[in-house]
Amino acid sequence: MATAEGSPFVKLVDSPTYEMPWDEAIGPQHLTEGLVKYLSAVTSRNWGGGDNSKGRGAGSGDASADGNMWADAVEKLRQSMRSSKGKQLMELVELLGGKPVSLKGAGSKKTSGNKTEAAQQALAVYDATLHHLRTHGGLINSVKPEYLLDSEDFDRIMEARTAAAAGNPEQEQALELWAPVEQSFGVYSTQAWNTLLLQVFRMYCLARVTPAALHQLLGTTASSADSRKIATPPKAPAATATTANKTAAAASNAAGVAAEAPAAAADNQQVPD
């Protein structure tokens, strides 16, 4: 793997057609509004824009207002996840997946009053949730639990690690790798959350949309339509005005012929002189 000179891309050796921008190495920079709508629909939490959805929702005709509203909703979703110290994410995974996340160590304890210890507990919750998702097929190797913390907890974790690494050259050198993350933590965190939420959607929603499921759904729909056709007999076509008139005229002629028949029979019975 080599870096092109003067270009922020990573190129695979012997594969000049593939380029990966550094800016999106962790994940996408933006999140689709459809994911926010889906999560709002399957949970009891409203991440769909709050009260603004009534006045500036879809179909308002103002594309810029709609875009700003959903951008705010996406940020609201990420911020809500961060502020819950990993609890909302864990609840979401358990709700959609139907299996509990196994918490061990600090993550299984009651939230501490010490802010540094509380940050370590949140880190443990994120670590356990990521492990659970990877075990069930989540493609989240680029996401580290530190990226999911809020900025204050991340600073506390790094300060604690720096203090613990004092006097150990190897640990101090390892901590230097976190310098780019500390400088652009907001970007790393946003991309990590976007990747994580999209993978949750892929695992627990899109994975259920299979060819067999679609075939069964289409077959059920077709069977229902056929049953409705069989249950409802076709209606006989209504007689037109012309047909009704012809029928009435024929009946009148038949009545006239029937009335003239006795008179004709009496004339035929007269005796000649």
Side-chain angles (χ1 to χ4, degrees):
M1 186 168 60
T3 303
E5 184 177 356
S7 176
F9 291 92
V10 175
K11 291 186 177 181
L12 298 180
V13 178
D14 299 329
S15 180
T17 58
Y18 178 81
E19 294 182 346
M20 181 183 69
W22 277 109
D23 294 341
E24 296 185 359
I26 306 292
Q29 299 182 8
H30 304 285
L31 198 62
T32 176
E33 65 184 55
L35 180 59
V36 183
K37 294 179 180 179
Y38 172 76
L39 295 179
S40 297
V42 299
T43 63
S44 60
R45 305 180 186 277
N46 179 22
W47 288 306
D51 296 336
N52 293 334
S53 60
K54 298 180 180 179
R56 294 187 304 167
S60 63
D62 190 344
S64 60
D66 292 342
N68 293 334
M69 182 192 71
W70 285 110
D72 294 342
V74 170
E75 180 57 32
K76 177 183 177 182
L77 168 61
R78 288 191 293 257
Q79 187 59 36
S80 179
M81 289 284 183
R82 292 191 194 102
S83 61
S84 69
K85 310 295 183 182
K87 298 299 178 62
Q88 285 188 14
L89 175 63
M90 185 177 65
E91 292 174 359
L92 177 65
V93 170
E94 292 178 342
L95 172 65
L96 298 179
K99 296 181 180 180
V101 176
S102 178
L103 292 178
K104 298 179 181 180
S108 61
K109 299 178 181 179
K110 184 179 180 180
T111 303
S112 173
N114 183 283
K115 293 183 178 181
T116 301
E117 293 180 357
Q120 293 174 345
Q121 290 176 338
L123 186 66
V125 172
Y126 285 129
D127 192 19
T129 306
L130 291 177
H131 176 74
H132 179 87
L133 292 174
R134 292 191 188 98
T135 303
H136 293 83
L139 304 177
I140 50 176
N141 291 334
S142 63
V143 178
K144 294 183 178 297
E146 290 84 356
Y147 299 162
L148 305 178
L149 297 168
D150 59 34
S151 58
E152 295 179 354
D153 284 345
F154 177 77
D155 291 339
R156 294 186 183 100
I157 292 294
M158 297 310 298
E159 290 175 0
R161 290 179 179 178
T162 301
N168 189 324
E170 294 183 359
Q171 293 184 6
E172 291 178 349
Q173 186 177 4
L175 287 175
E176 292 178 359
L177 299 176
W178 287 92
V181 181
E182 294 183 75
Q183 295 174 1
S184 305
F185 177 75
V187 176
Y188 278 79
S189 180
T190 296
Q191 294 180 356
W193 273 108
N194 291 348
T195 296
L196 181 59
L197 293 174
L198 287 172
Q199 284 297 311
V200 169
F201 179 76
R202 179 193 69 82
M203 293 170 57
Y204 300 120
C205 180
L206 292 184
R208 300 173 182 174
V209 184
T210 62
L214 288 175
H215 181 73
Q216 182 180 5
L217 176 62
L218 295 176
T220 303
T221 304
S223 301
S224 300
D226 294 340
S227 63
R228 285 196 297 268
K229 291 180 180 179
I230 296 174
T232 305
K235 296 181 179 179
T240 60
T242 303
T243 303
N245 293 338
K246 290 182 179 180
T247 303
S252 178
N253 293 336
V257 172
E260 292 176 357
D267 292 343
N268 294 333
Q269 294 178 357
Q270 290 180 358
V271 179
D273 295 336

